[in-house]
Amino acid sequence: MTLLGIAIAVHLLAILWWIGGVAFVTLVFIPALRADDTRDRHELLQTIEHRFAPQARIAIVLVGLSGGYLLWKLGAWRWLSLAQFWWLSAMIAYWLLFVVILFIIEPLGLMQRAAFAGHDPAAGWRRFHAVHALLLVLAVIIIAAAVAGSHGF
C-alpha cells in the first residue's frame, strides 16, 4: 500500500470514528438521557463524555493530519478556489468547528453551560440535543456532497 493509500484509509477511518460518535450521541445517548429522569443525567453525561472526548480528539487530529497530507499530495489546495469543490471548503470548516468545540468549548464546559442555562432542565436537554442534531445533519450533508463531488457529480 502506498503512503497515499494509507492516508486515505486513516482519513476515512478517523472520520468514521468521529462522525459515528456524533451519530451515537445524537441518536442514542442523548435521547436515552432525556427519557430517563430517575438518575443524575448530568453525571452520566460527564462520565461518557470523559471516555469518548479523548477518542474524538485523536480522531480530529488524525483527520486534520491525513486531510492536510491529501491536499498536499494531490495538489488539491487550488480546489478550494473552485466553486464545484464547495464541499471541500465545507469539510474543512466543519473540521475547524469541531477543533474549536473539542479543544476549547468542551474542556471549558461552555456548551453545557449555554444549553442548560435557565431554570427548565427539559428545555436545556432539548437545546443540547438540538445542537447535536444540527451537527449530525451538517455532517451527513457534507459527507454526501463530498462523496458525490469526488465522483464527478
Side-chain angles (χ1 to χ4, degrees):
M1 182 179 277
T2 67
L3 195 52
L4 180 63
I6 292 169
I8 291 169
V10 166
H11 196 68
L12 292 175
L13 290 172
I15 290 170
L16 174 69
W17 197 266
W18 162 31
I19 303 303
V22 173
F24 174 78
V25 167
T26 304
L27 301 174
V28 177
F29 185 61
I30 294 174
L33 287 177
R34 287 181 65 189
D36 182 6
D37 60 359
T38 61
R39 62 177 108 176
D40 186 355
R41 295 182 279 189
H42 290 283
E43 183 180 320
L44 185 54
L45 175 64
Q46 290 295 110
T47 300
I48 299 299
E49 184 177 76
H50 286 314
R51 292 184 68 107
F52 186 67
Q55 296 174 46
R57 288 185 186 106
I58 290 168
I60 288 290
V61 169
L62 290 173
V63 167
L65 291 173
S66 60
Y69 175 78
L70 291 170
L71 285 171
W72 171 75
K73 185 68 174 173
L74 297 172
W77 288 105
R78 62 183 173 78
W79 296 354
L80 294 171
S81 65
L82 302 174
Q84 72 258 30
F85 293 104
W86 66 269
W87 50 267
L88 184 57
S89 297
M91 284 177 21
I92 294 168
Y94 188 80
W95 176 81
L96 285 171
L97 173 64
F98 263 86
V99 167
V100 171
I101 289 171
L102 292 175
F103 288 96
I104 298 170
I105 293 174
E106 281 295 327
L108 295 174
L110 298 177
M111 182 181 281
Q112 287 189 35
R113 272 191 234 139
F116 296 106
H119 300 290
D120 183 5
W125 282 104
R126 282 192 303 275
R127 282 190 297 271
F128 191 67
H129 195 191
V131 168
H132 282 81
L134 176 63
L135 291 170
L136 180 59
V137 167
L138 288 173
V140 170
I141 290 168
I142 292 168
I143 290 169
V147 170
S150 65
H151 287 88
F153 292 100

